[in-house]
Each structure stands twice: as C-alpha cells, then as structure tokens.
Amino acid sequence: MSLFLVLAVLGLVVNGSRLGLDLAGGRLLPVGSLGELWTTYLSGWHQIGGGTASAAPASLAVLGALGAIFTPIGGPHALVAVLLIGDAPLAGLSAYAATRKLPASRWSRVAAAAGYALLPAATASVAQGRLDVVVVHIVLPLVISGIAGLLARTGAGWLPASSACAVGVAVLGAFSPLAQGLALLGLVVGFVVLPPGKSLLRRIASVVVVVVLPLVLLLPWPTVLVNQPSLVLHGLSGPAPAPPAADLVGLDPAGAGAWPIGVAVVVAAIFAVAIRPRALMSPGLGVLVLGACGLAVVLLVPVSPLQGGADSAGFTGVPLLVISAGLLWIVLTALAKGPPVAVLRKLAAAGAVLVILALATGAVLAGRGGPVRSGGGDRLASVQADELARTGRSVLAIGFGDVLTRQTGGRLPRFGDEQIAVTASTPSRLATWESALRQPSSGATRAALEGATASGALFVVLPPGEGPGPIVTLAPDLAVAVQPTKEGRTVLRLLAPSGQVVLVPPGIAKQAVTSSSPSSSEGVTPVDAALPDVRVRVSDGIAGRLLVLSAELEAGWQATVDGKPQPIVPAWGHQVAVSLPAASSEVSIEHPSTLRDVLLLVQVAAALFAAMTAIPIPARPR
C-alpha cells in the first residue's frame, strides 16, 4: 500500500497539467460515452472514411465493459483518464503482485516494482496519449507471471489459472496485438524448451487454452488483423519515427514525455549478472530476448499505416516494456535471498535507490510535457452537432502535422475510428481532398468540395490557423463559413443538396458512373433513409436514374428492385449505387452482417466460459 500511495502522489505530480476525467490530445482521440462505445463495437457497418463494414477494435468492448464501473464519474472517458494518470501506481501494484512467488525479499520486490512503474517507455506513452502502450504497461507483469506459473507447475487448479492467463492475454491483444503475439511466442517457446514433467497433458491443455481462448474472446477483431499487418506492428496508436540508438539504449521510445534514463536499468542488469550469475536468470533473459526480437521487427519492417501514408516503423513502446521487464527480472533474481556478502548487499541497496531516483527524476522532469490535456478535445458548436445527429451526415476533418484527414459520420473523430480499416481507395481520396483544400485552386478545390458533398459530408473542419477566405472565395456556391469549433478551427458548411441516400437524375447519373466528382447538383434529391439498410419506394420517372448511398463500395452489398436482385454499380468511382427503372418500384439495399453476428455469439460464449472457469472453486472439506 505504501508503494501504491507514493507512486500515486508521483503520478499526480507528473500529470498535474492534465488532471481531469476527459483527456484527449496527441495520439488519444476523445473517448465516447458508454452507449456510443457499445453501439460502435456491435454495429456491422461504420460511417468512417465514407462508410465501411470492417470490424471495430476489441478495445472498445474492453473500455465499454470496464467503463460501466465508472459510470457515476463519467464512464469510459473517466476510465481512460484513470489509466493514464494512474499508470505508475497501477503498474507498480501489478508488478509487485506478479513477483509474489519469486524467492526475493519484500524490499527487493518493492524496488523492482517501483523501477517498472517509472520506465521511460511508460511516461512517454502517457504524455503522447498512447493508451495501448499504457494498458500493456499495467497488464504485462501479470501476464508474464501467469505464463511462468503455467510453465513451471501445472497442478489441480490448472484450468482457472489458464483461463485467467488467457483473459490477460486477450486484454493485451485488444490494445496491442504485438504484445499478444510476443506473449504467445514466449509461452510456446517455454513449453518446447522446458522439460515436460509429470503433467504433460495438463501443460498441453493449458497452452491450448491460453493460445485459443484469447483469439475467440477478441472475435471478430482477429479477422481484421490477418488482413491488416499495420495494426500488429503499429498498434492502436499508430506509427512513430524510429528513435536514435542512444534513446533505445536508454529504453526511451523517443518523443515527448521521457528521457533515456532507462540506461540505469540496463547498467543495473549488467552489474547483477557480473556479480552474481545464476541459472535462475534464464527466464528474465528469455523475456529480454523476446522483447529484443519484437523491437527488431517493429524497427526493421516498415508498413503502410492503416489510414494511409508512407511506410513507416511502429512505436517502440511495447517491445521496450518487454525488454525492461526482462532486465528487472534479471536484477530481482540476482537479489533473491540477498547477496551473500554484506558489502554486496549494501551496494545492491544503494544501486536500487539510485536507479529509482534516476527514473523518478526523468519521469517528473520529462513526463509533464506532451500534448495530452483535459477538456475532452475539440468539439463542434451545438447547432452543428445537432444538425449532424439529425441528418446522419459526416464531417470531413482536414489533417495537419502527423494527423491524417478523417471523415466520420455524425461527429468529429473519436477513439477507435483510426483502427477501423477503410477501403483501399479511401486514403488516397482523402489525401487529394486535403491537398485541394489546404492549397486552394479553382478546379481542384471545387472538385474536392463537390466530391465531399456527394460522399455525404455536411461540414469541413480546416486545420488550426487556416481561415475560410480562399475556399469561400473560389466556391461561394458550394461552401460557407459557420461557427468555429471549441478550439477555434474554421468550419465550412457544404451547400449542395446531399444526404445519406440521394436520388440522382439521368443526366448526372451518366456522369456519376464515369467521373470522380459531380460538376452539378441540379436535380439531386435527398431521400429520407438511413444507412446501411435502405428500403424506399421510388415514384415513376425517367429511366437511367440512380439511387446513390454515401457508403464506400466494397464486397457484401446487396440490392433488390421489386424483390428481384439488382447489380450494384459504382458512383463517383467509390460509392454504392443502384440503377432504377422508370416505373414506380420498391428498392432495398443492405449489407448483411450475419457472419459478424455469429462471431459475436461465439465471443459471448467464450466470455461466459472464461468467467466460469477463471475463478477457482474452493475444495470441499472431507
């Protein structure tokens, strides 16, 4: 308890400039309410990037489940604030509990837990808003302890221990697929290397449970990871510039919030191996090697980010945390039962104090920076937010710096949007619109505004510091400036008729199937319908009309006209559309989510199994 209180005070000092229950900034987008999180997670179609049926990240379900506990103080966004501000005490408590079965003194465990809580990779992740790495920092010690326990001994309580470990691995995977992969790799390697003992069948069953159960608990999220390797290497918070070698030696992932002061942990581990080499250091060395492999993959395998952009390396926070855990395990093993010589014992105590002071100094001085702040992030004016909620149309937020351009339905971008895989053509189209609106020119800017309107956008939010003048001057009939956002960003309202579903006359319909943006909106009529399932009745008219949806064209869309299947045609090169007959007809367009619903049912069954088996049942007295 003393360790927790000291680290809690230190966490309040470090995060004094960002105290609040509605944090946002940097890599952390504002977190939605409890209902919004569950709606996004359970929905089979998302109005992100123009509309996609890709599965939402499993992290939304974790935040939704745990956020219900925090409903009296704000819900999920309060939970996220507690995780970020309370990262050090929570991680320290986790590390202390994870070392309870090691043959080390209480003070040695306290020192190791304090060192783990103040690692540079953790303070940098908090300052930069990388929630995925923060969750890994808190959960990792318990997962390592659980895996080590399963490999070392498999007794009568193997099923509860395996289920509890599988739940921990699933939480890792929900926020960091890379951390889940490293944990499972360590489990499999340990199973192969260690002698089988007398309970081989139980060990095999434990490994199967820990490997398979997390994948089922995360359904349908793993189906996205198979097709999107960037989510594995970049994590939920996206890529980062590769840090210098000096920072890596200091266990610093670079960026705001940390100094490479972790070199003190490296020196302590080298010193521990030099003065007291022991065979018991092998597990810590194995964790160290595992983290080094993860670091090499993240740095040496650049991939294209999920939302588009040039190939880049991932953020090194997760592998550096694994490396740090291995180093601290080595140090703790050297201190097990105390060094044999009194002088060495005093030297070890003095070294531990110096390492903790160095880490604490780095956390206090560097961890107070970073872009994360309270306030809930930027927001539209209430009038605009109400209109978006009423019409269901989208917002096009133009990117700046390392923030990419995003198009989101009904609101500004929120946590979880960046992890939803958009269609292949979406990133390049959004980049083209961004270029045309940041460097206005008559033809390109008008085409961007017309294309955004056709895709269902109602508002365009410009980058900080950019005014509406150049765009409104070039296209006064297409956009007008309205009330700015809470943080002062310019907002343009698009004037051409549009909606989630529109009826396009024959003249423009011909252009829709051959062009990327309309040159006229004359005759375009918004239809009172909501996506993704559209059922409308159209009246008599001229042949050649199109019913166009503000949804990206991807596999799975089905259409019928008067009960007969009708082919889907592309409108403006990327939107879903259906050709209409001249006579009055009933039109139905839908994107079935039967497979997703089945996977969710399997996930619920796995969650019930984990809940029933993770809690050990006390033995009845004879």
Side-chain angles (χ1 to χ4, degrees):
M1 182 59 69
S2 299
L3 171 67
F4 181 83
L5 292 177
V6 171
L7 291 175
V9 172
L10 188 61
L12 293 176
V13 172
V14 172
N15 297 286
S17 61
R18 58 178 74 102
L19 291 180
L21 294 177
D22 51 355
L23 301 184
R27 293 291 180 172
L28 178 65
L29 292 174
V31 180
S33 65
L34 190 63
E36 290 170 338
L37 287 183
W38 281 114
T39 299
T40 302
Y41 180 70
L42 296 176
S43 176
W45 187 84
H46 308 282
Q47 204 173 353
I48 305 298
T52 176
S54 176
S59 58
L60 296 181
V62 176
L63 293 180
L66 298 180
I69 304 173
F70 289 79
T71 300
I73 60 173
H77 59 80
L79 168 63
V80 170
V82 169
L83 291 175
L84 291 178
I85 297 174
D87 170 63
L90 292 174
L93 191 62
S94 171
Y96 183 78
T99 57
R100 66 189 183 280
K101 293 185 179 180
L102 293 181
S105 67
R106 177 185 177 185
W107 291 111
S108 298
R109 291 170 55 206
V110 168
Y116 179 81
L118 300 172
L119 290 172
T123 59
S125 300
V126 172
Q128 297 174 28
R130 296 184 179 270
L131 179 62
D132 52 345
V133 186
V134 171
V135 173
V136 171
H137 184 222
I138 296 171
V139 178
L140 182 62
L142 298 176
V143 172
I144 293 177
S145 175
I147 291 176
L150 291 178
L151 293 176
R153 50 193 175 277
T154 307
W158 68 271
L159 183 55
S162 302
S163 296
C165 185
V167 171
V169 172
V171 173
L172 284 184
F175 289 88
S176 174
L178 176 63
Q180 179 186 10
L182 293 178
L184 296 182
L185 178 60
L187 172 66
V188 173
V189 171
F191 174 80
V192 173
V193 171
L194 293 178
K198 297 181 180 180
S199 54
L200 178 59
L201 292 180
R202 288 180 177 177
R203 287 185 62 191
I204 294 176
S206 296
V207 171
V208 171
V209 169
V210 177
V211 171
V212 176
L213 184 56
L215 296 177
V216 184
L217 286 172
L218 296 175
L219 286 174
W221 178 237
T223 61
V224 179
L225 301 179
V226 172
N227 299 316
Q228 303 292 341
S230 60
L231 282 171
V232 178
L233 298 181
H234 290 172
L236 270 63
S237 57
D247 287 347
L248 292 178
V249 173
L251 306 179
D252 179 10
W259 289 344
I261 202 68
V263 67
V265 178
V266 178
V267 172
I270 295 174
F271 185 71
V273 174
I275 65 171
R276 202 182 186 199
R278 309 178 67 189
L280 292 176
M281 292 180 176
S282 299
L285 182 60
V287 174
L288 172 62
V289 172
L290 201 64
C293 293
L295 181 64
V297 171
V298 168
L299 291 178
L300 300 180
V301 185
V303 293
S304 176
L306 183 64
Q307 301 295 331
D311 291 354
S312 57
F315 184 67
T316 56
V318 168
L320 286 180
L321 286 177
V322 177
I323 291 174
S324 302
L327 293 172
L328 289 171
W329 195 348
I330 291 174
V331 173
L332 195 58
T333 303
L335 297 177
K337 296 182 180 179
V341 183
V343 175
L344 293 180
R345 190 159 50 243
K346 294 180 180 180
L347 187 61
V353 171
L354 291 176
V355 170
I356 294 173
L357 287 177
L359 293 174
T361 302
V364 171
L365 296 181
R368 306 174 80 174
V372 176
R373 291 291 181 270
S374 63
D378 206 0
R379 288 194 295 268
L380 292 170
S382 58
V383 175
Q384 300 159 13
D386 292 342
E387 186 175 5
L388 282 176
R390 185 177 64 255
T391 61
R393 293 176 64 180
S394 59
V395 179
L396 179 65
I398 304 301
F400 56 93
D402 60 350
V403 178
L404 297 176
T405 297
R406 308 181 184 99
Q407 184 179 3
T408 52
R411 52 174 174 73
L412 286 174
R414 286 185 183 157
F415 178 82
D417 292 350
E418 290 189 323
Q419 291 75 49
I420 296 177
V422 295
T423 60
S425 63
T426 298
S428 60
R429 184 180 70 258
L430 294 181
T432 301
W433 291 350
E434 175 187 344
S435 176
L437 295 176
R438 297 200 66 176
Q439 300 175 353
S441 63
S442 180
T445 299
R446 291 187 64 88
L449 295 174
E450 291 164 344
T453 303
S455 70
L458 178 59
F459 296 108
V460 176
V461 180
L462 299 181
E466 295 192 11
I471 296 176
V472 173
T473 301
L474 290 172
D477 57 325
L478 297 177
V480 62
V482 292
Q483 188 175 350
T485 66
K486 184 187 76 170
E487 296 182 354
R489 295 175 63 180
T490 298
V491 179
L492 301 177
R493 190 186 193 282
L494 302 180
L495 302 177
S498 182
Q500 295 189 61
V501 183
V502 295
L503 183 63
V504 177
I508 299 179
K510 293 179 181 179
Q511 183 187 10
V513 296
T514 59
S515 177
S516 60
S517 61
S519 59
S520 171
S521 58
E522 184 177 357
V524 174
T525 306
V527 177
D528 186 14
L531 296 173
D533 297 332
V534 176
R535 292 175 177 83
V536 297
R537 181 175 183 83
V538 295
S539 59
D540 295 335
I542 304 174
R545 297 174 297 170
L546 281 180
L547 192 68
V548 181
L549 278 59
S550 59
E552 293 299 295
L553 182 60
E554 55 185 354
W557 284 99
Q558 300 175 1
T560 60
V561 176
D562 289 333
K564 298 179 181 179
Q566 185 77 1
I568 300 292
V569 297
W572 315 120
H574 62 94
Q575 290 179 229
V576 175
V578 175
S579 180
L580 302 178
S584 173
S585 56
E586 296 280 349
V587 182
S588 175
I589 308 174
E590 61 181 2
H591 195 290
S593 57
T594 305
L595 178 59
R596 172 178 172 78
D597 295 340
V598 172
L599 293 178
L600 287 175
L601 289 176
V602 174
Q603 181 193 44
V604 171
L608 293 175
F609 172 81
M612 290 187 295
T613 57
I615 301 176
I617 300 176
R620 294 181 179 179
R622 293 182 179 274

